Amino acid sequence: MAAAQDLKTPISMSFSHHSPFKPSPPFPPRTQTHSPLIITTLPRIQVHRPPPSLSISRRLFLPSVSGIWDALTGGNNPREAVSAIRRGMLLFRQGDVAGSLAEFDKAIELNPRQKAYLWQRGLSLYYLDRFKEGAEQFRIDVAQNPNDTEESIWCFLCEAQLFGVDEARKQFLEVGRDPRPVMLEAYSMFKDGGDPEKLVAAFSNGRENDYFYASLYAGLYYESQNKTEEAKHHILAAYQSLYGQRSDDYMASLAKVHCICRNWESA
């Protein structure tokens, strides 16, 4: 997910090249916050990288059609809902996962249409071990956008915790082809099984955002297999990568939050 421009009134529509088909509500942009971070020092994993090429992620904010209509018509408290989503995302970035969920739920209460687009809520539910609700959120999201690779993977991650990997794979959400090679490979690995080490190796000398995503999803794959040490190694690598440290991508913040929730900051 790189730096996004501020969203100002009137609402404008912009589209990320990573997921051209995904509408989403008029969420606030992913600008860098200056709130105190919970993590102080994490162990450094030395990776010799080529000069970074930070590119915009699929998850830059895209206004939804329903959200724009509500903003124009004044229906269902859209401004208050957007404010709640903004607060929820900020709280998540700061490591307050429970607080973020409370704000996302408040946004849905203010404007129920938002639920179909609140993938951020699904991520918060995962880290609160509320896997059934998380899987439901991601399935709703994919129903709105059948080309969303990452929500399909996160649904699998929730259901793997509920039913085990084999059963979760039987009900894996199939989606359209992701234009990002790294996510195309990650999707195939989760759907059919594969080697996370090969995923990371394939993108270790490429663009910095590709290396970040390969490392993050390699670690998440290991977590679904209950291989804690391997998961820790790769997610720490994602967090400590140049993209993980410099990008405003929400998933870069997620890598940090993952380390907080697993108590890896003092490892």
Side-chain angles (χ1 to χ4, degrees), residues 212-223:
F212 168 84
Y213 273 94
S215 297
L216 176 64
Y217 280 103
L220 290 167
Y221 185 89
Y222 278 127
E223 182 161 281

Side-chain angles (χ1 to χ4, degrees), residues 141-194:
D141 186 277
V142 171
Q144 291 295 322
N145 176 31
N147 296 292
D148 199 321
T149 298
E150 291 189 67
E151 268 61 278
S152 174
I153 290 173
W154 279 95
C155 181
F156 169 86
L157 289 168
C158 288
E159 292 178 345
Q161 296 296 326
L162 291 170
F163 313 121
V165 170
D166 293 339
E167 194 63 32
R169 192 161 281 145
K170 291 178 182 178
Q171 53 195 40
F172 196 90
L173 281 172
E174 296 193 22
V175 296
R177 184 181 180 88
D178 197 299
R180 299 169 293 169
V182 64
M183 290 313 305
L184 185 63
E185 292 298 322
Y187 173 81
S188 296
M189 179 181 71
F190 279 92
K191 179 177 179 291
D192 302 319

Side-chain angles (χ1 to χ4, degrees), residues 8 17 23-24 27 50 57 80 94 103-104 109-110 119 149 179 198 208 222 237 241 245 249 256 260 262:
K8 298 181 182 295
H17 67 281
S24 60
F27 299 154
S57 162
E80 292 85 351
Q94 294 174 338
E103 292 296 337
F104 295 144
E109 182 179 347
L110 290 166
W119 49 266
T149 298
K198 290 182 179 179
E208 197 61 43
Y222 278 127
S241 69
Q245 292 293 303
D249 189 333
K256 179 192 74 175
I260 295 172
R262 303 298 181 257

Side-chain angles (χ1 to χ4, degrees), residues 22-25 27 64-67 113-120 137 140-141 144:
K22 180 178 180 69
S24 60
F27 299 154
S64 70
V65 174
S66 64
R113 292 185 181 185
Q114 298 286 3
K115 185 174 183 179
Y117 306 97
L118 264 178
W119 49 266
Q120 301 97 323
Q137 177 67 60
I140 292 172
D141 186 277
Q144 291 295 322

Side-chain angles (χ1 to χ4, degrees), residues 6-237:
D6 290 339
L7 183 67
K8 298 181 182 295
T9 306
I11 295 174
S12 62
M13 181 173 292
S14 61
F15 294 92
S16 165
H17 67 281
H18 290 304
S19 183
F21 302 106
K22 180 178 180 69
S24 60
F27 299 154
R30 296 183 183 173
T31 54
Q32 184 67 36
T33 67
H34 299 285
S35 301
L37 297 179
I38 293 177
I39 284 184
T40 55
T41 303
L42 285 172
R44 306 302 299 180
I45 295 178
Q46 297 298 322
V47 181
H48 295 287
R49 312 286 312 131
S53 174
L54 302 181
S55 64
I56 297 175
S57 162
R58 172 183 75 83
R59 295 184 176 279
L60 290 177
F61 285 106
L62 308 177
S64 70
V65 174
S66 64
I68 291 174
W69 177 253
D70 282 345
L72 293 174
T73 62
N76 294 329
N77 302 308
R79 291 182 182 275
E80 292 85 351
V82 168
S83 294
I85 293 167
R86 181 183 291 113
R87 291 191 299 270
M89 294 183 71
L90 176 60
L91 289 170
F92 183 87
R93 286 180 181 274
Q94 294 174 338
D96 184 357
V97 181
S100 73
L101 180 62
E103 292 296 337
F104 295 144
D105 286 345
K106 183 182 296 183
I108 294 172
E109 182 179 347
L110 290 166
N111 185 358
R113 292 185 181 185
Q114 298 286 3
K115 185 174 183 179
Y117 306 97
L118 264 178
W119 49 266
Q120 301 97 323
R121 179 175 180 268
L123 298 176
S124 295
L125 288 164
Y126 179 85
Y127 288 106
L128 292 171
D129 295 339
R130 292 168 60 173
F131 303 117
K132 182 177 180 180
E133 294 166 89
E136 176 192 11
Q137 177 67 60
F138 292 121
R139 286 186 175 275
I140 292 172
D141 186 277
V142 171
Q144 291 295 322
N145 176 31
N147 296 292
D148 199 321
T149 298
E150 291 189 67
E151 268 61 278
S152 174
I153 290 173
W154 279 95
C155 181
F156 169 86
L157 289 168
C158 288
E159 292 178 345
Q161 296 296 326
L162 291 170
F163 313 121
V165 170
D166 293 339
E167 194 63 32
R169 192 161 281 145
K170 291 178 182 178
Q171 53 195 40
F172 196 90
L173 281 172
E174 296 193 22
V175 296
R177 184 181 180 88
D178 197 299
R180 299 169 293 169
V182 64
M183 290 313 305
L184 185 63
E185 292 298 322
Y187 173 81
S188 296
M189 179 181 71
F190 279 92
K191 179 177 179 291
D192 302 319
D195 185 351
E197 301 302 326
K198 290 182 179 179
L199 175 67
V200 174
F203 295 94
S204 61
N205 294 315
R207 297 184 304 173
E208 197 61 43
N209 64 306
D210 288 340
Y211 173 74
F212 168 84
Y213 273 94
S215 297
L216 176 64
Y217 280 103
L220 290 167
Y221 185 89
Y222 278 127
E223 182 161 281
S224 74
Q225 308 281 329
N226 296 316
K227 295 182 177 181
T228 304
E229 288 305 312
E230 292 90 340
K232 178 179 177 179
H233 172 78
H234 286 293
I235 294 176
L236 279 172

